[in-house]
């Protein structure tokens, strides 16, 4: 049994939607925000998982069949394990079509990640470094 939770999603085209956590430069995280962000970063902290996530995100059409992305230097059962971990972290969604499973990164996940890692205009870091 897993104790992981999926990241809350935002609408990619919504300017008012909030990501799972505020930008890192906005304020210190609460304990819950830190837990949520840590699950995402932990899932992406493995090189194989990061390669699989990148392969899905960059695949033509925004989704990839597991048959097209499994050449990452590990066995098929290990690929399945890593894809499961990415799904549990809320970074991928999947759909079975016949005998194959197709994975996609929802645009809202990329938007949430982008907002988390973006320095806001009121943050302590300007576009070229610390403000003086």
């Amino acid at each position: 049994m897993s104790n992981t939770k999926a990241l809350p999603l935002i609408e990619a085209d919504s300017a008012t939607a909030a990501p799972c956590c505020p930008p890192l430069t906005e304020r210190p995280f609460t304990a819950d925000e830190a837990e949520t962000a840590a699950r995402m970063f932990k899932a992406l902290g493995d090189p194989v998982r990061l390669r699989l996530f990148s392969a899905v995100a960059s695949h033509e059409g925004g989704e990839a069949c597991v048959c097209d992305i499994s050449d990452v230097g590990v066995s098929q059962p290990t690929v399945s394990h890593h894809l499961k971990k990415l799904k549990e972290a809320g970074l991928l969604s999947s759909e079975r079509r016949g005998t194959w499973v197709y994975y996609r990164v929802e645009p809202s996940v990329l938007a949430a990640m982008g907002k988390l890692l973006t320095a806001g205009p009121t943050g302590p870091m300007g576009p070229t470094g610390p403000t003086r």
Side-chain angles (χ1 to χ4, degrees), residues 50-106:
L50 189 55
R51 288 184 66 200
L52 288 168
F53 185 76
S54 174
V56 173
S58 64
H59 203 270
E60 186 178 333
E63 69 177 8
C65 174
V66 69
C67 60
D68 294 329
I69 59 169
S70 55
D71 186 20
V72 290
V74 296
S75 68
Q76 180 56 47
T78 303
V79 168
S80 294
H81 166 77
H82 287 302
L83 289 168
K84 177 182 174 186
K85 293 296 183 183
L86 290 167
K87 279 184 60 175
E88 288 174 347
L91 297 170
L92 292 180
S93 60
S94 66
E95 177 183 351
R96 179 170 292 282
R97 297 181 197 154
T99 60
W100 296 110
V101 178
Y102 288 77
Y103 291 89
R104 74 189 133 282
V105 178
E106 299 296 334

